[in-house]
Amino acid sequence: VGMRPALAQLAQQYGVKGWVRNALTQVELWIEGNSTQVHAFEKCLVELGKLPGRVEVKQKLTLSSFGYEDFRILPSEARD
């Protein structure tokens, strides 16, 4: 299973909104939800991170919500 579809499936499972996309050398993820949803999703990511080569959270920010209504897989970031 690819990383983006797997994260989209998890997002749906935990009820978070936002997006996931391939960047040049990593996968970028934006999630929104209530604190319980976000915490549960994050905990799942940490558990996945214990598997070699799976997930590593490099940066986490707490920002205002953009109000996404669903979770989407965005097109990959363009390469120059």
Side-chain angles (χ1 to χ4, degrees):
V1 175
M3 183 62 72
R4 292 179 304 157
L7 290 172
Q9 185 176 10
L10 281 176
Q12 187 174 28
Q13 180 181 339
Y14 288 98
V16 295
K17 314 297 184 201
W19 52 262
V20 62
R21 72 174 179 184
N22 281 335
L24 296 177
T25 61
Q26 60 195 10
V27 173
E28 295 179 337
L29 175 70
W30 178 278
I31 61 167
E32 299 181 350
N34 66 43
S35 60
T36 302
Q37 292 168 313
V38 171
H39 180 72
F41 185 88
E42 182 181 17
K43 185 177 178 181
C44 183
L45 288 181
V46 169
E47 289 301 314
L48 289 174
K50 293 177 182 177
L51 301 174
R54 295 302 296 172
V55 176
E56 177 184 353
V57 178
K58 291 193 175 200
Q59 184 178 32
K60 177 184 166 188
L61 302 171
T62 302
L63 304 170
S64 297
S65 172
F66 280 102
Y68 289 101
E69 295 182 9
D70 58 10
F71 192 89
R72 297 181 183 196
I73 298 175
L74 298 181
S76 298
E77 187 176 84
R79 296 178 185 218
D80 292 347

